[in-house]
Amino acid sequence: MEKLVGDAKHILKLNWKEGFTIPTAKLYPFQWNWDSGFTSIGHSYTSLDHAVKELDTLFSSQWENGMVPHIVFHSETETTYFPYYDFWESNVNPGAPNKPKSSGITQPAVHGFVLENLLEKFPDNQQLIDFIRQIFPKIIKYHRFLYTYRDPEREGLMFIYHPWESGRDNSPLWDESLERIKIGKGELPEYERRDTSLAPVDERPTAYQYDRYVYLLLLGKKFLYEQRGIFEESPFLVQDTLMNAVLIKSNQSLINIGKRFGLDTGELEEWQQQSVRIFNEKLWNPSLNTYTAYDARAGHPITYKEIGGMVSLYGEIPNEQQANQLNDYLWSLHERDYFICPSFDVDSPLFDSKRYWRGPIWSQMNWMIYHGLKNYGFERTAEVVKADIIELVSKHGFYEYFESQKSLAANINSGYGGGNFSWTAACVLDLLKS
Ligand code: GLC
């Protein structure tokens, strides 16, 4: 275990770039929004300074409308990434900062709970307290963006308009929405993917999916990244479980922090009440015994059992009975041939234990599910979730994602995607120390 802790700290140091951390060299050479949150928690074990700076740097890219972009391009000279800042052209929106350059979409709002996690570790640290006072209003502004522009009908659930926003890029959840997008010959500009020359093709999204990612990017750009037009026209419009569960968790963390420091939490409490209620009313699926995302363009639920629904435990959204059902499901996977928790329903024909978000194990998801299970006192399952990711990392290294089927994992020597991965190092480090 000591070696794992040392390796994790070493990776975080290796990927630290003067103020922020790259997820992994080459494949993701910039700052990613939700990666930064988890990475900040990891840095806190060696340098609170880095932990704070990571978040501070991320928020230096916040747009005037409050959005925190999913990628911040701190360097304008890389050659290994597509789509780069010159393809996004986010400055078509007058509220996007000119420097640092950024993408035009967002990612899960982890920052509130990350801040609370840091505060639990350093409850009386003056540097952290000063930082909290400074960043608190910026995070609220971000949540306000989500509740205003991404929830124009004031339902209490935010929408996403691009699979990349969900953090689960090629999950089968998005297949139906993507199929709605018909692309005529010559309609897309020519582009060259970089990910498939840096990681095996069968572990990455397909060309069909990638064309649709580019299409949706260009749709955002067509509307100058103004949310109203996107809401009205995007063929992809989803109220996702994970996005909303993370937002709810962060609302609660900000409420807790605000109460401690005497900061105004009125707006947060209103959002929170409404969101928790509608999440339960609209997203709970009594036949599947889990929460499912809602396709707001088609007007029906996306009825798959998958990992986003499990994150509701972290947001303390389910009641006891619902939580029991989620826990039973996770435990049943453990009793079969799986590490927990695979990113997609192992019994679905769309399950693919090796392809990115269609089945593999992801460390940051295990981290959230572990804490979610602990919230409800499911110690036994929580310990398996923790032990599984530690076993995978010990055997295969600090990869981006891992084989979820035990019998297959036994015959391979590495994980999938990028190596020396920051949030894997951060989450495993934190789990080892907890
Ligand atoms: C992939 C993941 C996304 C992550 C990014 C950087 O796109 O799907 O969740 O933020 O890589 O690690």
Side-chain angles (χ1 to χ4, degrees), residues 2 42 68 71 132 136 195 329:
E2 241 168 71
V68 181
I71 307 177
I132 286 177
F136 186 85
D195 61 322
Y329 169 66

Side-chain angles (χ1 to χ4, degrees), residues 23 28 32 34-35 107 167-169 356-357 362 400 421 423:
Y28 305 123
W32 261 257
W34 75 317
D35 295 57
Q107 265 190 334
R168 315 198 291 305
D169 306 13
Y356 217 34
W357 285 101
W362 290 74
E400 185 180 2
F421 215 86
W423 67 14

Side-chain angles (χ1 to χ4, degrees), residues 16 19 40 43-44 46-55 127:
W16 172 257
S40 165
H43 280 306
S44 73
T46 47
S47 159
L48 181 61
D49 236 29
H50 284 188
V52 162
K53 186 76 185 138
E54 181 81 41
L55 296 175
Q127 180 198 1

Side-chain angles (χ1 to χ4, degrees), residues 20 23 51 54 97 117 224 239 249 279 292 304 307 338 357 379 389 407:
F20 70 97
E54 181 81 41
N117 185 293
L224 312 180
Q239 290 168 315
K249 173 69 188 175
F279 194 102
T292 53
Y304 291 123
I307 200 159
Y338 299 99
W357 285 101
E379 298 292 329
I389 190 67
S407 47

Side-chain angles (χ1 to χ4, degrees), residues 253-309:
S253 291
L254 292 174
I255 292 170
N256 300 343
I257 294 172
K259 292 244 156 83
R260 170 168 164 191
F261 295 109
L263 305 166
D264 184 10
T265 58
E267 202 178 9
L268 284 162
E269 286 177 79
E270 270 177 40
W271 293 330
Q272 185 69 337
Q273 248 192 358
Q274 196 194 5
S275 291
V276 173
R277 186 180 44 75
I278 187 83
F279 194 102
N280 269 310
E281 271 175 30
K282 189 168 179 180
L283 304 187
W284 180 255
N285 183 312
S287 325
L288 291 180
N289 288 336
T290 187
Y291 294 94
T292 53
Y294 189 82
D295 183 336
R297 182 55 75 222
H300 61 67
I302 305 175
T303 47
Y304 291 123
K305 208 157 187 155
E306 62 84 50
I307 200 159

